[in-house]
Amino acid sequence: MRISEKFVHLNTEHVGFSLEFSPAKTTQGMQNLYDRIERMAAYGPAFIDITWGAGGSHSNLTTEMVATAQADFGLDTMMHLICTGMEQGKFEAALQESYNAGCQNILALRGDPPRDKEKWEATDGGFKYAVDLVRYIRKKYGDYFDICVAGYPEGHPECSTASESIQHLKDKVDAGANFIITQMFYDVDNYIDWVQKCRAAGISCPIIPGIMPIQSWDAFLRRAKWMNATIPKHFLDELEPVKDDDAQVRERGTKLMVQMCQRLIETGTVHLHFYTMNLEKATKMILEGLGLLQQGDTCTNKPPLPWQRSLTLKRSKEDVRPIFWKNRQKSYIARTQEWDEFPNGRWGDSKSPAFGDHHGYGLGLRVKHEQVYELWGHPSSYTDVSNIFVKYLKGELQCLPWSETPMSSEGGYIRDQLIRVNEMGYLTINSQPAVASVKSSHPDFGWGPPNGYVYQKAYLEMFVHPDLLDSLLSNAERDPLVGYYAVGKSGELRTNMPKEGATAVTWGVFPCREIVQPTIVEANSFLAWRDEAYQLGNDWSKSYRSTSASRKLLDELVKSWVLCVIVHNDYHDKDAIFRIFDGLKAVSDLRQQASDH
Amino acid sequence: MRISEKFVHLNTEHVGFSLEFSPAKTTQGMQNLYDRIERMAAYGPAFIDITWGAGGSHSNLTTEMVATAQADFGLDTMMHLICTGMEQGKFEAALQESYNAGCQNILALRGDPPRDKEKWEATDGGFKYAVDLVRYIRKKYGDYFDICVAGYPEGHPECSTASESIQHLKDKVDAGANFIITQMFYDVDNYIDWVQKCRAAGISCPIIPGIMPIQSWDAFLRRAKWMNATIPKHFLDELEPVKDDDAQVRERGTKLMVQMCQRLIETGTVHLHFYTMNLEKATKMILEGLGLLQQGDTCTNKPPLPWQRSLTLKRSKEDVRPIFWKNRQKSYIARTQEWDEFPNGRWGDSKSPAFGDHHGYGLGLRVKHEQVYELWGHPSSYTDVSNIFVKYLKGELQCLPWSETPMSSEGGYIRDQLIRVNEMGYLTINSQPAVASVKSSHPDFGWGPPNGYVYQKAYLEMFVHPDLLDSLLSNAERDPLVGYYAVGKSGELRTNMPKEGATAVTWGVFPCREIVQPTIVEANSFLAWRDEAYQLGNDWSKSYRSTSASRKLLDELVKSWVLCVIVHNDYHDKDAIFRIFDGLKAVSDLRQQASDH
């Protein structure tokens, strides 16, 4: 989405913000950064932006990060593009990748001179000024991209006068830029004055102040100097006395930045841009201080779908997913990334597109061996395993091999029943409660546009001991409103569902729209997920030494237990799905039985 | 659908029936026959069958009737096919037409000799016996068609012995026939005996008795003689004394036939085939006597969709229609008959297929001038017109120019509100009440498979006086849950709905299925319907002399009134759509106002 469309919904009562990140230098650094971006995405930024790899050496990481943010995190993203060291063909390639990622926002910069050169020079066949880049993008892509340009409230170092600098800015806007983000500054009075001059000069597009959080004394001074930012006296008065205590600097710095942002908002600012420097804490503290942290993206009340939408071009029409990757969305995106066309609501009926192989990056268990022991210990009995699942349900564990994220808030509605089922030894790895007609604004179940109603059929996905399977399925078959799929690591699918088609388990009814049915249960995807589900169990098992009791136990589980998904079709009866377990044996009863003989 | 699939659901507690019709000889006769078939379809036959035009002269009417029954009436149909006067190419053509119509059932007969010949002779290159025709169909079409053959409980006139006749029947079954319908008979003992002989001879497929209702004394004797049917003595004892009184013959004949059918059911018959002779009353009386009339098609509890599904091959995937032709289904089918592909649930999004021209057969007002005067009188004021609409709503009129059928049972739920609106002068031509979650078995709103829930958003479609339009639409716009389209005979569409896409106004949630959304409101179809709606008004107007007050009034209505459709999106609030009219002026207020000045 073009960012300018978001600005129109903002006002000083509903202030938006954005977060800037830069490619990290190592693979591990990139992984940590992705985790951080995902966490910070929950703060609710209107968009994030990714700087262009300095000197071009990390530029492929920039386009990768843009694509990941759009696809995996569903974040509207702006890609930086600089003139430094770029031949013309490179602009075209970068813009095309941005286009394919569904990214519609470019920050067009001249860029700093390369580290080995004092003075900026255009690359042969490249552009000399940001304004040339703006013109190039407009000419090649029409209005497809929003173009942002940089503003310099304290003047550009290479411009002799403030008015010359403003004239250059106006040239960029006239060439087609949609909005302006400023360089960092601490002098608010000067900024307000500069904005007025810009307006007087005929610049009417949105101007977004760039905010640099204060992380430490040294960094504060260094960055201000590098960016030629004047430091007001009261900043120094506050910070210098505690300059050797980073925590104190950050705390006092936060107060200063919150005051500064409040002043900006009072004088009409509706959006703040944060230079995070890839750090989390200082930005979070300012957002908290401003009361923006919980508020989230002020442009939308609820996400458009109950899962995180991908924003890449190819996936723009995607409006349905099978339930099985609910707790492993990245894996789903990776496995379906080669799909040319998303089935767009008719998933079940369409030619079933193959699910990609599951041996890709990040598709196996991503937890390291030491973490495995710390998280899940060394189970030596099925009761131990049950207890791990119960601890997860109680919120005492943050993840399971099959769930990368903690228990969801909607899970709370059926926590007690899930605990009972897991204590019996039916190991649930995915579930949702039945919901009959709640408003689309509901805090836990809501999604989609306002004034709608959303619904869910209850489902449970679980591993079942092979000796318990027949009674479970015969209980399920006794209720004409229950559908199930069951399959072992290898072997045939058992089901009472229709061979073709899908069961919608989440749907929404909204004003002036067709019915939206974004999650389904369906056989082809279940069989594709089956392989991944058993692989994850296998990965867990392999974390233990080959002679250990845990390894033996988990290998047995993977080998013989059966993966089942059960849907209850009467969404008006919230407890119905759990009544299937009434009168069933527990795994501990089997052991008892065995030892009785 | 193949009829044999229906038989498996039948038993002596749930008896099915079917109705035979023959092409009529004149265009008006055909039109009356279609009307009659449509009425009799409401009795709930499992299927109907259409005889082959005698001697081939009416054979194109046979295929037309098969196609109409399948497409317009949604009736599973069986086509007769005879050897008389047929070259081989004709079989192929007839079977292909049947195939295209979605008809999967053929009654293969030798046929009677042409009227000008005493003895039956094969046509050059044609088939001599029905068994040859059975083999031909099986060879060409595999199992696509169910094939029915005729059985002769009283022996075939050209067979010397009963066992020879049964052997011929067995040959036809062995050649691939799926079931047998017998010639008419009145001697039940003989029939039961004959069925036992058939079973003993190894004929195991379903045997359906052919029932000839008694219409009059002469016809009764003539047909029995023609078909070599023995008349039991008690038939003659009952009927002869009243032979000159057709009504008495029909009444006593009905009693005799009901007794006969009850005896057949007691001895294991699960399906009765009626030779209607294109007449309604006698068959209806027997069905009433047997308690089968209200029961309907015992194979399905509810129709699969809220509108009458077409059974042609091309339309087999059709699962969504715009609301606008709700009261003119045949017109919708005619206008969309060239569509190659039915949009299958994605109507709004798909490339919008053009609606065919509306100047086809049966698309204008089908009521004759004299009937117009009788039905709707000679309105000379808008109050007169309002009163016509109110009378329709009260059940005192069976049709309106825009509604071919009487007020539906679901209309009863909002009758009083509709009357109020029409009394105000807003002329409603189509509507449905809001329904939030009723069982799919609901007597008035139910459709689709059992154990589901169905929903409706309320909508109203009406003609609005141009001076009342602005207040109506501004009331509508005040409620964020209201969407509308409004357009005059010519001119631009006014709407507050999204430009693209559709609003689902009927949907159902069923076990182990996707959500089904069979009716929608959408702009392209509304604009196509607009032309037809004004044309119908025009046709009504043209029924009056050009100098008459009615003509002047209706011309003015067609010229200046605006067609509006309003949807209320909160289906939980049944009265919400009618609150839009609170505080609005009535047409009579406008007149008052005008005369005040």
Side-chain angles (χ1 to χ4, degrees), chain B residues 231-514:
Chain B
I231 301 177
K233 183 165 175 298
H234 70 284
F235 274 72
L236 296 172
D237 291 349
E238 272 291 311
L239 298 176
E240 194 153 24
V242 295
K243 65 182 181 182
D244 297 324
D245 182 341
D246 281 359
Q248 282 254 29
V249 169
R250 199 154 54 198
E251 200 164 307
R252 292 189 178 197
T254 296
K255 271 191 202 151
L256 290 164
M257 295 310 291
V258 168
Q259 283 165 6
M260 176 176 141
C261 291
Q262 281 167 338
R263 177 101 197 279
L264 288 169
I265 293 168
E266 280 160 21
T267 55
T269 292
V270 298
H271 186 99
L272 301 163
H273 183 69
F274 288 90
Y275 295 111
T276 68
M277 309 309 288
N278 287 359
L279 296 170
E280 192 167 354
K281 191 139 190 181
T283 302
K284 186 181 181 188
M285 285 164 71
I286 299 172
L287 287 169
E288 272 173 335
L290 292 167
L292 295 179
L293 191 59
Q294 298 298 323
Q295 196 172 326
D297 185 347
T298 50
C299 303
T300 52
N301 299 315
K302 282 284 173 183
L305 291 170
W307 31 265
Q308 180 62 61
R309 198 162 202 169
S310 287
L311 301 177
T312 52
L313 201 64
K314 255 168 63 171
R315 297 188 93 104
S316 65
K317 296 250 172 185
E318 183 184 20
D319 65 3
V320 58
R321 288 185 187 172
I323 59 163
F324 305 108
W325 287 267
K326 179 182 175 188
N327 299 317
R328 294 178 57 78
Q329 301 223 22
K330 272 173 282 192
S331 161
Y332 183 74
I333 289 165
R335 295 182 66 151
T336 58
Q337 68 190 354
E338 296 305 319
W339 289 9
D340 281 337
E341 196 179 335
F342 283 85
N344 201 12
R346 308 303 305 166
W347 205 91
D349 285 355
S350 87
K351 57 233 159 261
S352 116
F355 288 87
D357 208 332
H358 66 292
H359 301 297
Y361 160 76
L363 297 185
L365 191 62
R366 271 179 44 202
V367 179
K368 287 184 203 148
H369 290 190
E370 310 80 59
Q371 284 174 295
V372 164
Y373 310 146
E374 198 179 311
L375 283 165
W376 307 316
H378 291 77
S380 62
S381 68
Y382 287 136
T383 308
D384 290 349
V385 179
S386 278
N387 286 342
I388 292 169
F389 279 73
V390 169
K391 275 173 81 176
Y392 173 78
L393 292 167
K394 287 182 173 168
E396 297 163 15
L397 280 175
Q398 299 302 297
C399 63
L400 284 181
W402 295 271
S403 299
E404 292 174 341
T405 48
M407 185 74 174
S408 67
S409 60
E410 70 160 10
Y413 288 76
I414 47 172
R415 179 177 283 117
D416 292 346
Q417 290 106 312
L418 288 174
I419 288 174
R420 177 173 77 97
V421 165
N422 281 278
E423 282 174 344
M424 291 171 76
Y426 300 84
L427 305 174
T428 62
I429 60 171
N430 188 358
S431 61
Q432 75 177 20
V435 173
S437 196
V438 303
K439 287 268 186 188
S440 57
S441 55
H442 188 282
D444 294 310
F445 300 114
W447 52 274
N451 288 319
Y453 293 97
V454 298
Y455 298 78
Q456 295 184 180
K457 288 181 181 175
Y459 68 78
L460 289 177
E461 192 194 353
M462 60 205 149
F463 285 105
V464 179
H465 190 290
D467 295 347
L468 297 177
L469 187 69
D470 285 340
S471 352
L472 175 70
L473 298 188
S474 81
N475 264 18
E477 277 173 2
R478 214 164 290 144
D479 183 340
L481 285 156
V482 171
Y484 66 81
Y485 294 116
V487 75
K489 188 171 188 303
S490 50
E492 291 296 301
L493 183 68
R494 288 175 70 173
T495 182
N496 67 343
M497 306 253 228
K499 284 208 186 75
E500 296 284 315
T503 304
V505 291
T506 309
W507 65 101
V509 185
F510 302 100
C512 299
R513 277 182 168 72
E514 292 189 58

Side-chain angles (χ1 to χ4, degrees), chain A residues 426-439:
Chain A
Y426 299 84
L427 306 174
T428 62
I429 61 172
N430 188 359
S431 62
Q432 76 177 19
V435 172
S437 197
V438 302
K439 286 267 184 188

